[in-house]
Amino acid sequence: MGIGEVLVHTHDIASGLGVDWRPPADLARLVVARLLPDAPKGDPVEILLWATGRTELSGQPPATTWVWKAALE
C-alpha cells in the first residue's frame, strides 16, 4: 500500500505543480496486481490512476469510490 500511496500522491503533487509525471509502469503493475485485483486489464499506469479516481479510462465509468484490497482472500 505504501508504494501505491507514494505513486498516486506524487502524481497529485506533480499535477498541482504543472509537472507531467506518470508512475513507473513496473511499480504500477505490481500495485494494481496486488491491491486492485478487480481492476480491468490494460496499461497499469492508466489503470492505477483511473482506479484511484485521478483520470478517466476509456470504456469504464468514473471511479468515484475505491479501496486497496490489502488482505489476501
Side-chain angles (χ1 to χ4, degrees):
M1 283 182 11
I3 292 170
E5 293 289 343
V6 168
L7 294 178
V8 297
H9 290 300
T10 299
H11 178 268
D12 295 343
I13 293 165
S15 294
L17 295 172
V19 175
D20 184 25
W21 184 86
R22 293 173 47 88
D26 56 340
L27 292 177
R29 185 175 299 105
L30 293 172
V31 171
V32 169
R34 177 64 180 86
L35 300 175
L36 299 166
D38 298 328
K41 302 297 181 209
D43 177 340
V45 173
E46 292 300 319
I47 300 299
L48 176 63
L49 296 176
W50 166 78
T52 58
R54 283 151 175 91
T55 61
E56 294 182 2
L57 185 64
S58 179
Q60 296 294 326
T64 57
T65 61
W66 60 277
V67 63
W68 295 128
K69 293 196 176 179
L72 295 175
E73 295 178 4

